[in-house]
Amino acid sequence: SEIVLCPDFVSLYPIVQMFKTIDINIGAQNCSEHINGSFTGHVSAQSIHKVGCTYSIIGHSERRKNNHETDDMVADKMSHLLDYYVSPIVCIGETRDEYGSGSTLKILEKQLNPIFDAISKRATTSSGLSVNIAYEPIWSIGTGKIPAIEHLNTIFAWIREKAHRVNKNIKWNFLYGGSADSSNIDDLKHVGGCNGFLLGKSSTDFQEFKKVVHSLS
């Protein structure tokens, strides 16, 4: 199994140095949709690569909501990350209202289409890179409410089928994010087609994080 830690930007360089001799990867929590130019406060994929990160989260629901990030912006970020040898962790997910109205797949398709369009235009991804799709139902994040396993089985089978139809030669990983912790990981790890987890709150408590890692080892 693989562990990726994603601290804030100011911690990236010292933590990359700290873990250089340990088999743990470091990722950023976001990157800019621009690769260069006058964009004060942005951190480019090139900078994330140069600091030593091998992963970057993009499209997190908080950024989509609070920073008005669009699906096309997230796709641009992904392309830049792949250009600079950083594996993207692309977050997708629906709100409670969208889930309640049965619109989950419609919302996920809208979020994924620009990602898949960008992938289909690429000849290849760089050797060893993965494209990681993290399904994080927004209504589940931080609430302790977990979707039914049958629902997750359906979602992951649907995402996997669409991704492999776009490019079956890419190393795709499919992650679940949303209130995953030591109390439910034994159930969640049996979700079909799920390769791993994007942990939020449970990653900030070392003992809790340790329990999750041990359960998945």
Side-chain angles (χ1 to χ4, degrees):
S1 58
E2 184 178 16
I3 296 174
V4 181
L5 300 179
C6 298
D8 60 30
F9 281 125
V10 295
S11 304
L12 284 176
Y13 181 74
I15 289 181
V16 165
Q17 301 307 308
M18 191 184 305
F19 284 94
K20 262 191 170 176
T21 59
I22 301 172
D23 192 22
I24 290 179
N25 290 290
I26 307 301
Q29 293 182 7
N30 183 43
C31 85
S32 176
E33 66 272 24
H34 307 288
I35 207 60
N36 53 39
S38 303
F39 300 101
T40 301
H42 284 242
V43 180
S44 71
Q46 183 179 23
S47 296
I48 288 169
H49 165 68
K50 283 186 175 180
V51 84
C53 291
T54 50
Y55 287 84
S56 178
I57 298 169
I58 52 174
H60 192 279
S61 58
E62 291 165 2
R63 293 209 53 95
R64 290 179 187 265
K65 178 183 176 182
N66 299 330
N67 299 81
H68 311 293
E69 292 188 359
T70 67
D71 301 323
D72 288 335
M73 288 164 66
V74 175
D76 288 342
K77 294 180 182 200
M78 181 199 68
S79 293
H80 296 322
L81 289 169
L82 292 173
D83 287 342
Y84 283 95
Y85 312 102
V86 180
S87 292
I89 302 171
V90 184
C91 298
I92 59 172
E94 82 283 18
T95 65
R96 170 155 290 289
D97 286 346
E98 290 162 346
Y99 172 71
S101 66
S103 302
T104 295
L105 295 184
K106 179 181 176 183
I107 296 301
L108 299 188
E109 186 163 42
K110 176 180 174 293
Q111 294 170 340
L112 283 170
N113 278 344
I115 295 294
F116 290 152
D117 287 346
I119 288 287
S120 66
K121 291 171 185 172
R122 301 180 68 88
T124 182
T125 57
S126 300
S127 178
L129 282 182
S130 59
V131 177
N132 309 276
I133 307 293
Y135 171 55
E136 46 157 28
I138 298 167
W139 53 270
S140 177
I141 299 172
T143 66
K145 297 175 182 176
I146 300 294
I149 298 299
E150 295 77 14
H151 171 76
L152 292 176
N153 284 337
T154 299
I155 295 296
F156 279 97
W158 178 83
I159 297 172
R160 178 181 290 269
E161 192 272 333
K162 284 186 72 69
H164 287 168
R165 200 188 309 161
V166 171
N167 190 326
K168 64 179 183 235
N169 297 317
I170 284 178
K171 182 184 177 186
W172 294 101
N173 286 322
F174 306 98
L175 315 177
Y176 172 73
S179 292
D181 58 28
S182 62
S183 71
N184 54 41
I185 198 68
D186 284 335
D187 291 328
L188 288 171
K189 71 183 181 183
H190 296 300
V191 171
C194 178
N195 304 114
F197 298 89
L198 180 60
L199 302 176
K201 185 178 179 181
S202 59
S203 70
T204 62
D205 178 327
F206 177 74
Q207 294 303 323
E208 175 69 11
F209 183 62
K210 183 179 175 183
K211 289 177 186 175
V212 174
V213 171
H214 282 179
S215 178
L216 296 173
S217 296

